[in-house]
Amino acid sequence: MEKEIIIGICDDNPMAIGQIKEMTGEYLKKRALSAQLLTFGSGAELLDSESAVDILFLDIEMSGEDGIQTGKRLRERGSECKIIMATSMAERFKEGYHIGASRFVTKPFDQEEVEEALEYAFQSFIGMAAIELYESRNPHHIQEKRIRYIKSYDGYAEAVVGKEGKRMRTEKSLNRLEEELDKRLFFRISREYLVNFAYIDSYSNGVAIVGEERLQVSRRNKKEFERLYREYDLYYRG
């Protein structure tokens, strides 16, 4: 089950909102991507919304709470959305780093610049799909990025989920899970284990430490594991 990306546009200028909507629509069409677009006319309107956006175009110069103040409040609430700051004042770009802005676009907007910012944001989303896992025979849809590792047993597999290490079951084989899970995030380190790179605390000499677990990487998979683990660190680790 794939989670639809939600793109928010927060600006007190309706014309600017219209431009970003049109440019974003062009990008989505070119890339054959699907996303929900939400618009907000002020920081207060965005903060009052119950919708959790994944990507946010946030205007810096808004009346009332400006974009920087709005962004700070979002972060205080725990939002991890990818913020793309919009401004006509390049000197304010530095302020965006205080709220973890990932990209900046300048007014008047340029299609290529908007698309580059969106491409960067979309590429950072991995493990967003959900798989069905069972706990006490009750089904749950769990996002891939929450799974620490999966261990194979005879006839079933067990997933260790989240920081709390909840154990959940699936009847799918490890071979099938290896094909279905996001390959940027998961790697088959041995016949028994599929591991999520994001939860590896340290790695040395063929041993991956995941919490209190020491998981051995097989000799045949070691070289490829190390290559993809470096790639994950370089491109995807937050």
Side-chain angles (χ1 to χ4, degrees), residues 71-81:
K72 284 180 179 177
R73 289 185 60 186
L74 279 175
R75 295 305 192 211
E76 287 168 1
R77 294 181 180 185
S79 173
E80 297 180 357
C81 70

Side-chain angles (χ1 to χ4, degrees), residues 3 42 205 209:
K3 177 188 180 297
S42 66
N205 298 322
I209 305 298

Side-chain angles (χ1 to χ4, degrees), residues 21-211:
K21 279 186 71 175
E22 183 177 349
M23 291 178 177
T24 299
E26 282 294 312
Y27 168 79
L28 295 173
K29 185 177 179 181
K30 286 179 186 177
R31 299 278 282 109
L33 294 169
S34 175
Q36 181 182 358
L37 295 181
L38 300 178
T39 62
F40 308 94
S42 66
E45 187 179 338
L46 170 65
L47 293 167
D48 287 342
S49 171
E50 295 183 358
S51 299
V53 300
D54 300 299
I55 301 171
L56 176 64
F57 285 96
L58 183 59
D59 181 34
I60 291 183
E61 297 90 26
M62 292 188 293
S63 56
E65 282 200 340
D66 68 10
I68 301 300
Q69 293 169 318
T70 300
K72 284 180 179 177
R73 289 185 60 186
L74 279 175
R75 295 305 192 211
E76 287 168 1
R77 294 181 180 185
S79 173
E80 297 180 357
C81 70
K82 309 299 179 183
I83 295 178
I84 302 170
M85 299 301 304
T87 182
S88 57
M89 301 170 64
E91 62 269 22
R92 296 203 67 183
F93 278 174
K94 288 184 179 180
E95 296 177 63
Y97 292 110
H98 296 298
I99 57 172
S102 59
R103 281 293 187 272
F104 303 86
V105 291
T106 53
K107 298 180 178 181
F109 298 120
D110 174 78
Q111 181 73 36
E112 185 175 343
E113 188 176 45
V114 168
E115 290 191 8
E116 190 276 335
L118 284 167
E119 184 70 12
Y120 178 85
F122 267 92
Q123 286 298 320
S124 68
F125 288 114
I126 62 174
M128 295 290 287
I131 66 170
E132 189 172 70
L133 298 173
Y134 288 81
E135 183 182 24
S136 302
R137 299 187 178 180
N138 296 313
H140 300 270
H141 286 97
I142 305 296
Q143 278 191 311
E144 293 178 9
K145 66 180 183 179
R146 294 189 56 217
I147 299 170
R148 298 167 68 171
Y149 63 85
I150 303 174
K151 183 177 180 180
S152 176
Y153 293 91
D154 289 336
Y156 73 98
E158 184 179 74
V160 177
V161 178
K163 293 181 179 179
E164 68 278 14
K166 183 178 293 185
R167 295 180 182 270
M168 307 182 79
R169 180 173 172 144
T170 174
E171 302 305 316
K172 293 181 180 180
S173 69
L174 214 60
N175 287 339
R176 183 173 173 187
L177 290 165
E178 183 181 11
E179 287 300 313
E180 292 182 0
L181 295 174
D182 194 325
K183 291 177 176 56
R184 298 170 296 177
L185 192 60
F186 286 89
F187 187 82
R188 179 84 173 264
I189 63 170
S190 65
R191 292 179 62 187
E192 289 184 293
Y193 287 98
L194 265 171
V195 175
N196 183 338
F197 289 131
Y199 282 94
I200 296 176
D201 297 310
S202 64
Y203 170 76
S204 179
N205 298 322
V207 176
I209 305 298
V210 180

